[in-house]
Amino acid sequence: GLIVQAQIAIKGVVLDEQTKEPLPFVNIITEKYKKGFQTNEKGEFNFVVESQDEILTFSFLGFQKKTLKVESK
């Protein structure tokens, strides 16, 4: 049989909520597939997830974790 699996490109930037400065090297974990990613030195991220019902958890030392659901636009 034929199996087709769509992938969703995710990109963005992580900022400090108060200063609005980019946060470098923030850890990003996909909850469903347990894949790990990290923002670059400018706080930017760009990766692909397998499902639009994926949940992303962002963590950075000294900051509270943030969890977001992937939504298609």
Side-chain angles (χ1 to χ4, degrees):
L2 180 64
I3 297 176
V4 176
Q5 183 173 354
Q7 294 184 325
I8 300 168
I10 305 293
K11 68 178 184 173
V13 63
V14 178
L15 304 174
D16 181 309
E17 191 173 36
Q18 293 180 348
T19 67
K20 306 300 185 222
E21 291 291 319
L23 292 175
F25 312 114
V26 173
N27 294 309
I28 307 167
I29 303 293
T30 63
E31 294 298 318
K32 188 171 184 179
Y33 291 99
K34 302 298 183 199
K35 290 186 179 177
F37 303 94
Q38 201 172 55
T39 62
N40 66 15
E41 64 279 352
K42 297 177 185 176
E44 302 165 333
F45 59 91
N46 187 353
F47 55 89
V48 173
V49 295
E50 288 79 14
S51 172
Q52 76 178 30
D53 64 347
E54 182 64 84
I55 295 172
L56 306 176
T57 299
F58 296 79
S59 62
F60 191 67
L61 190 63
F63 287 77
Q64 189 173 20
K65 285 185 180 180
K66 179 82 171 184
T67 302
L68 298 173
K69 185 178 186 310
V70 172
E71 297 178 11
S72 59
K73 291 188 174 188

